[in-house]
Amino acid sequence: MRPKNLEKEEAIRTIALQIIAEEGLENLTMQKLAKAANISPRTIYIKYDNKEDLLVKLFIEEVLSAYEQAVLKDFQFDMDFSEGIKKLWLNGFAYFKNNRHAFVLMQYGKSSPLLNKAYQQKSIKQGDFFGPIMRFLEHHVVAGTIRNFHHDIQRALLFSPLIDLMSEYFDYQERPEQIITEETLLQCCDAVIKGMLK
Amino acid sequence: MRPKNLEKEEAIRTIALQIIAEEGLENLTMQKLAKAANISPRTIYIKYDNKEDLLVKLFIEEVLSAYEQAVLKDFQFDMDFSEGIKKLWLNGFAYFKNNRHAFVLMQYGKSSPLLNKAYQQKSIKQGDFFGPIMRFLEHHVVAGTIRNFHHDIQRALLFSPLIDLMSEYFDYQERPEQIITEETLLQCCDAVIKGMLK
DNA sequence: TATTTGTAAGTAAATAATCATTTACTTACT
DNA sequence: AGTAAGTAAATGATTATTTACTTACAAATA
């Protein structure tokens, strides 16, 4: 039996992300993808049921899971609040800086109904958002360090500025000077932390 | 000469926004739109050059401009910082609560390259983001009330949580209980303000 | 006042391109 | 030698946009 060529599988994913980042999700077609990956359209259908299946797997496996893993690196739920949030911010920043394509698809997750559905299902399955972060926040609510908000609200307050600053980072990459550095990011992080403390 | 039927023009815009909100931008087709609006596809092309022109005008005129107008209602640049930010948050909340369709297209503006380009062009043209808000922030930087960040950074810190909470509001509308009320929103706004104060 | 007329608005149906997916076949490995 | 992986080319549906025609009205004419 002829064995699977794993390089082709990876090429499909990498080039799909690339097309989405450069031309938009609405301009990704199976035939364009096949051509760019130097394979036959049929090959994509050996690895994925259909376009929807490809997109959902791309979103969940290449974007959400990879981001989760990167952001939780060296993070423990019993860290000091300020230290923990800074760790999460810097991990997220480092990850997306090197994975702009994943960042773009993640942004599509907020608008495209298809990806949104996939996101909500994953969130529900794994007990809302990133387990260790939830435990970390609960711990600090109980300890009285921070305000007691619903965790969906906490996520919005603590991490949506990071995502927005990430967008700015990429925008400013095409301009003469970059305003989002690790230093300014940490100042922003300080502001967000200060707002959450009791 | 036969006069333009303005109702048809409005139907095109309203129903386009509706389809985008319910089925996604990627599922809006000219023929589907024409059918839903009870007109001929040709009629759309009398009012818009092509699909791109329609989408960009929809985004700029029905979403960005309408949002800007709504958010600046009763806002003056010389307001007290906390009072001003709360006004902007509550205006934004009230607007999007009643304009979910516009909110969805606004979110697409962050991912779709087409809309993103349109957004940046508009931003540049009108001197970055919403004039009175910039003056307001500059005033408070000079007065020493708040930290001195680049205005793109200030926007991320002050308003991205609101947009994220808006998303949560719509998510929770389909669940048993709503966690985003005007009360919780104001508490969040307080946290954001506290983080920005010197 | 009543009727004609010029013209942009509007329609139904066609067009050509492009799409996701499949068919019929070939290849490469166990 | 058997079989899943892979290919090139086709299929039928759907797409944005256009063609060829009709309609409705304001202004000009009688």
Side-chain angles (χ1 to χ4, degrees):
Chain A
M1 175 173 101
R2 186 175 177 175
K4 267 191 195 179
N5 186 339
L6 292 176
E7 278 174 31
K8 283 183 181 166
E9 169 118 34
E10 207 191 312
I12 291 172
R13 295 189 176 220
T14 309
I15 291 174
L17 281 176
Q18 192 181 325
I19 293 175
I20 292 167
E22 285 165 8
E23 305 176 43
L25 184 56
E26 55 273 36
N27 290 308
L28 175 75
T29 74
M30 298 303 258
Q31 287 171 103
K32 189 190 275 186
L33 172 57
K35 197 168 209 173
N38 236 323
I39 53 169
S40 153
R42 184 73 181 81
T43 305
I44 304 174
Y45 286 90
I46 290 169
K47 293 156 198 299
Y48 302 94
D49 290 346
N50 48 46
K51 193 180 180 183
E52 176 168 337
D53 182 47
L54 165 65
L55 289 176
V56 168
K57 283 189 173 139
L58 214 56
F59 182 59
I60 301 271
E61 290 163 24
E62 299 289 311
V63 179
L64 289 188
S65 299
Y67 172 58
E68 177 171 8
Q69 204 180 342
V71 99
L72 291 177
K73 178 140 190 285
D74 299 326
F75 174 82
Q76 289 95 33
F77 78 96
D78 55 356
M79 278 172 133
D80 172 72
F81 182 70
S82 168
E83 185 197 355
I85 297 293
K86 280 179 186 163
K87 165 71 74 186
L88 294 171
W89 270 53
L90 289 176
N91 280 348
F93 184 58
Y95 173 72
F96 280 132
K97 230 167 81 168
N98 296 308
N99 294 274
R100 179 179 190 165
H101 296 170
F103 183 75
V104 174
L105 186 52
M106 177 152 243
Q107 292 291 79
Y108 267 107
K110 292 184 183 167
S111 24
S112 153
L114 170 65
L115 299 181
N116 213 295
K117 213 177 60 185
Y119 178 69
Q120 288 194 0
Q121 282 172 0
K122 182 173 159 69
S123 285
I124 287 159
K125 222 188 303 175
Q126 68 177 30
D128 290 302
F129 87 114
F130 309 167
I133 302 182
M134 279 199 70
R135 257 171 285 140
F136 168 76
L137 292 173
E138 265 164 34
H139 169 256
H140 283 288
V141 164
V142 171
T145 331
I146 59 169
R147 302 193 190 197
N148 183 16
F149 286 120
H150 188 289
H151 57 265
D152 280 330
I153 296 181
Q154 280 173 328
R155 181 168 43 72
L157 290 173
L158 291 169
F159 302 110
S160 67
L162 171 62
I163 303 301
D164 228 50
L165 290 168
M166 216 57 244
S167 278
E168 294 296 338
Y169 173 83
F170 290 123
D171 283 353
Y172 274 89
Q173 250 187 347
E174 286 145 25
R175 301 196 206 178
E177 25 80 78
Q178 179 59 263
I179 63 166
I180 314 290
T181 61
E182 202 158 288
E183 192 196 338
T184 55
L185 200 81
L186 281 172
Q187 289 169 5
C188 293
C189 191
D190 270 328
V192 166
I193 289 164
K194 184 178 161 200
M196 187 57 81
L197 292 172
K198 246 190 189 157
Chain B
M1 172 172 102
R2 185 175 178 176
K4 269 192 193 181
N5 186 339
L6 292 176
E7 279 173 30
K8 283 182 182 168
E9 169 119 34
E10 206 190 314
I12 291 172
R13 294 187 176 222
T14 309
I15 291 175
L17 280 177
Q18 192 180 326
I19 293 175
I20 291 167
E22 285 164 9
E23 306 176 43
L25 184 57
E26 55 274 36
N27 290 309
L28 176 75
T29 74
M30 300 302 259
Q31 287 171 107
K32 190 189 274 185
L33 171 57
K35 197 168 210 173
N38 237 322
I39 54 169
S40 151
R42 184 72 180 81
T43 305
I44 304 174
Y45 287 90
I46 292 170
K47 293 155 197 300
Y48 303 94
D49 290 346
N50 48 44
K51 193 179 179 182
E52 177 168 336
D53 182 47
L54 165 64
L55 289 176
V56 169
K57 283 189 175 139
L58 214 55
F59 181 59
I60 301 273
E61 289 162 24
E62 299 289 311
V63 177
L64 289 188
S65 298
Y67 172 59
E68 176 172 9
Q69 204 180 341
V71 98
L72 291 176
K73 176 137 192 285
D74 300 327
F75 174 82
Q76 290 95 32
F77 78 96
D78 56 355
M79 277 174 134
D80 172 73
F81 182 70
S82 167
E83 188 198 353
I85 297 293
K86 278 178 187 164
K87 166 70 72 187
L88 295 170
W89 270 52
L90 288 176
N91 280 348
F93 184 56
Y95 173 72
F96 281 132
K97 230 166 82 169
N98 297 308
N99 294 275
R100 180 181 189 161
H101 296 169
F103 183 75
V104 174
L105 186 53
M106 178 153 243
Q107 291 292 80
Y108 268 107
K110 293 185 181 166
S111 22
S112 153
L114 170 66
L115 300 181
N116 213 297
K117 212 176 61 187
Y119 178 68
Q120 288 192 1
Q121 281 172 1
K122 183 176 159 66
S123 285
I124 288 160
K125 222 187 305 175
Q126 66 177 32
D128 291 302
F129 86 113
F130 310 168
I133 301 182
M134 278 199 70
R135 258 171 285 140
F136 169 75
L137 293 173
E138 265 164 34
H139 170 255
H140 283 289
V141 166
V142 171
T145 331
I146 60 170
R147 303 192 190 198
N148 183 15
F149 287 120
H150 188 288
H151 58 264
D152 280 331
I153 295 180
Q154 280 172 329
R155 182 168 42 75
L157 290 173
L158 290 170
F159 302 110
S160 67
L162 171 63
I163 302 301
D164 227 50
L165 291 167
M166 218 55 245
S167 277
E168 294 295 339
Y169 173 82
F170 289 124
D171 283 352
Y172 274 89
Q173 249 186 349
E174 286 145 26
R175 303 195 205 178
E177 23 81 78
Q178 178 58 264
I179 63 167
I180 314 290
T181 63
E182 203 157 289
E183 193 196 339
T184 54
L185 200 82
L186 281 172
Q187 288 169 8
C188 292
C189 191
D190 270 328
V192 166
I193 290 164
K194 186 179 161 197
M196 187 58 81
L197 291 173
K198 246 190 188 157

mmCIF file of all heavy atoms in Angstrom, chain B residues 46-60:
data_model
loop_
_atom_site.group_PDB
_atom_site.id
_atom_site.type_symbol
_atom_site.label_atom_id
_atom_site.label_comp_id
_atom_site.label_asym_id
_atom_site.label_seq_id
_atom_site.Cartn_x
_atom_site.Cartn_y
_atom_site.Cartn_z
ATOM 1 N N ILE B 46 -27.257 49.246 -11.225
ATOM 2 C CA ILE B 46 -27.583 50.648 -11.506
ATOM 3 C C ILE B 46 -27.087 51.524 -10.354
ATOM 4 O O ILE B 46 -26.616 52.632 -10.555
ATOM 5 C CB ILE B 46 -29.101 50.805 -11.706
ATOM 6 C CG1 ILE B 46 -29.509 50.107 -13.000
ATOM 7 C CG2 ILE B 46 -29.499 52.280 -11.723
ATOM 8 C CD1 ILE B 46 -30.998 49.994 -13.181
ATOM 9 N N LYS B 47 -27.148 50.964 -9.149
ATOM 10 C CA LYS B 47 -26.808 51.743 -7.972
ATOM 11 C C LYS B 47 -25.363 51.562 -7.512
ATOM 12 O O LYS B 47 -24.809 52.416 -6.821
ATOM 13 C CB LYS B 47 -27.791 51.401 -6.858
ATOM 14 C CG LYS B 47 -29.214 51.885 -7.186
ATOM 15 C CD LYS B 47 -30.281 51.094 -6.476
ATOM 16 C CE LYS B 47 -31.639 51.290 -7.116
ATOM 17 N NZ LYS B 47 -32.116 52.684 -7.130
ATOM 18 N N TYR B 48 -24.762 50.429 -7.883
ATOM 19 C CA TYR B 48 -23.376 50.172 -7.493
ATOM 20 C C TYR B 48 -22.589 49.645 -8.694
ATOM 21 O O TYR B 48 -23.131 48.900 -9.510
ATOM 22 C CB TYR B 48 -23.316 49.167 -6.341
ATOM 23 C CG TYR B 48 -24.090 49.611 -5.145
ATOM 24 C CD1 TYR B 48 -25.409 49.201 -4.956
ATOM 25 C CD2 TYR B 48 -23.529 50.500 -4.226
ATOM 26 C CE1 TYR B 48 -26.146 49.643 -3.870
ATOM 27 C CE2 TYR B 48 -24.260 50.948 -3.145
ATOM 28 C CZ TYR B 48 -25.567 50.517 -2.971
ATOM 29 O OH TYR B 48 -26.298 50.970 -1.907
ATOM 30 N N ASP B 49 -21.320 50.013 -8.765
ATOM 31 C CA ASP B 49 -20.477 49.587 -9.885
ATOM 32 C C ASP B 49 -20.343 48.079 -9.953
ATOM 33 O O ASP B 49 -20.407 47.482 -11.025
ATOM 34 C CB ASP B 49 -19.070 50.190 -9.754
ATOM 35 C CG ASP B 49 -19.089 51.684 -9.991
ATOM 36 O OD1 ASP B 49 -20.114 52.168 -10.517
ATOM 37 O OD2 ASP B 49 -18.106 52.356 -9.658
ATOM 38 N N ASN B 50 -20.116 47.490 -8.810
ATOM 39 C CA ASN B 50 -19.912 46.042 -8.749
ATOM 40 C C ASN B 50 -20.032 45.612 -7.283
ATOM 41 O O ASN B 50 -20.323 46.426 -6.411
ATOM 42 C CB ASN B 50 -18.553 45.662 -9.339
ATOM 43 C CG ASN B 50 -17.454 46.553 -8.780
ATOM 44 O OD1 ASN B 50 -17.414 46.808 -7.588
ATOM 45 N ND2 ASN B 50 -16.587 47.040 -9.658
ATOM 46 N N LYS B 51 -19.772 44.345 -7.046
ATOM 47 C CA LYS B 51 -19.954 43.811 -5.701
ATOM 48 C C LYS B 51 -19.027 44.512 -4.698
ATOM 49 O O LYS B 51 -19.448 44.856 -3.592
ATOM 50 C CB LYS B 51 -19.672 42.302 -5.709
ATOM 51 C CG LYS B 51 -20.137 41.605 -4.459
ATOM 52 C CD LYS B 51 -19.871 40.107 -4.518
ATOM 53 C CE LYS B 51 -20.331 39.445 -3.236
ATOM 54 N NZ LYS B 51 -20.050 37.993 -3.222
ATOM 55 N N GLU B 52 -17.786 44.697 -5.111
ATOM 56 C CA GLU B 52 -16.820 45.358 -4.225
ATOM 57 C C GLU B 52 -17.298 46.754 -3.834
ATOM 58 O O GLU B 52 -17.263 47.130 -2.656
ATOM 59 C CB GLU B 52 -15.461 45.438 -4.935
ATOM 60 C CG GLU B 52 -14.424 46.174 -4.129
ATOM 61 C CD GLU B 52 -13.003 46.014 -4.682
ATOM 62 O OE1 GLU B 52 -12.738 45.012 -5.372
ATOM 63 O OE2 GLU B 52 -12.165 46.892 -4.416
ATOM 64 N N ASP B 53 -17.776 47.501 -4.816
ATOM 65 C CA ASP B 53 -18.290 48.849 -4.555
ATOM 66 C C ASP B 53 -19.449 48.807 -3.559
ATOM 67 O O ASP B 53 -19.512 49.614 -2.622
ATOM 68 C CB ASP B 53 -18.734 49.464 -5.886
ATOM 69 C CG ASP B 53 -19.232 50.888 -5.727
ATOM 70 O OD1 ASP B 53 -18.533 51.673 -5.054
ATOM 71 O OD2 ASP B 53 -20.307 51.210 -6.265
ATOM 72 N N LEU B 54 -20.329 47.846 -3.758
ATOM 73 C CA LEU B 54 -21.459 47.696 -2.840
ATOM 74 C C LEU B 54 -20.967 47.424 -1.417
ATOM 75 O O LEU B 54 -21.396 48.091 -0.458
ATOM 76 C CB LEU B 54 -22.362 46.545 -3.309
ATOM 77 C CG LEU B 54 -23.387 46.021 -2.309
ATOM 78 C CD1 LEU B 54 -24.421 47.085 -1.958
ATOM 79 C CD2 LEU B 54 -24.094 44.784 -2.844
ATOM 80 N N LEU B 55 -20.052 46.488 -1.277
ATOM 81 C CA LEU B 55 -19.586 46.109 0.061
ATOM 82 C C LEU B 55 -18.856 47.251 0.749
ATOM 83 O O LEU B 55 -19.072 47.508 1.935
ATOM 84 C CB LEU B 55 -18.675 44.882 -0.038
ATOM 85 C CG LEU B 55 -19.393 43.579 -0.376
ATOM 86 C CD1 LEU B 55 -18.402 42.449 -0.542
ATOM 87 C CD2 LEU B 55 -20.417 43.236 0.700
ATOM 88 N N VAL B 56 -18.015 47.943 -0.006
ATOM 89 C CA VAL B 56 -17.259 49.034 0.597
ATOM 90 C C VAL B 56 -18.205 50.155 1.034
ATOM 91 O O VAL B 56 -18.087 50.685 2.140
ATOM 92 C CB VAL B 56 -16.183 49.558 -0.374
ATOM 93 C CG1 VAL B 56 -15.588 50.855 0.130
ATOM 94 C CG2 VAL B 56 -15.086 48.516 -0.559
ATOM 95 N N LYS B 57 -19.179 50.478 0.175
ATOM 96 C CA LYS B 57 -20.127 51.544 0.551
ATOM 97 C C LYS B 57 -20.975 51.128 1.745
ATOM 98 O O LYS B 57 -21.262 51.937 2.628
ATOM 99 C CB LYS B 57 -21.004 51.895 -0.650
ATOM 100 C CG LYS B 57 -20.245 52.753 -1.647
ATOM 101 C CD LYS B 57 -21.140 53.309 -2.731
ATOM 102 C CE LYS B 57 -20.339 54.266 -3.615
ATOM 103 N NZ LYS B 57 -20.650 54.122 -5.042
ATOM 104 N N LEU B 58 -21.361 49.882 1.755
ATOM 105 C CA LEU B 58 -22.130 49.351 2.878
ATOM 106 C C LEU B 58 -21.329 49.504 4.167
ATOM 107 O O LEU B 58 -21.834 49.963 5.199
ATOM 108 C CB LEU B 58 -22.395 47.864 2.608
ATOM 109 C CG LEU B 58 -23.688 47.246 3.086
ATOM 110 C CD1 LEU B 58 -24.879 48.006 2.556
ATOM 111 C CD2 LEU B 58 -23.756 45.793 2.653
ATOM 112 N N PHE B 59 -20.074 49.129 4.087
ATOM 113 C CA PHE B 59 -19.200 49.146 5.259
ATOM 114 C C PHE B 59 -18.960 50.565 5.740
ATOM 115 O O PHE B 59 -19.128 50.886 6.923
ATOM 116 C CB PHE B 59 -17.879 48.464 4.894
ATOM 117 C CG PHE B 59 -16.888 48.380 6.014
ATOM 118 C CD1 PHE B 59 -17.209 47.730 7.193
ATOM 119 C CD2 PHE B 59 -15.629 48.939 5.886
ATOM 120 C CE1 PHE B 59 -16.290 47.630 8.233
ATOM 121 C CE2 PHE B 59 -14.708 48.847 6.915
ATOM 122 C CZ PHE B 59 -15.041 48.195 8.084
ATOM 123 N N ILE B 60 -18.590 51.447 4.821
ATOM 124 C CA ILE B 60 -18.261 52.814 5.207
ATOM 125 C C ILE B 60 -19.510 53.591 5.627
ATOM 126 O O ILE B 60 -19.551 54.203 6.690
ATOM 127 C CB ILE B 60 -17.585 53.561 4.035
ATOM 128 C CG1 ILE B 60 -16.309 52.848 3.589
ATOM 129 C CG2 ILE B 60 -17.325 55.024 4.417
ATOM 130 C CD1 ILE B 60 -15.073 53.215 4.305
#
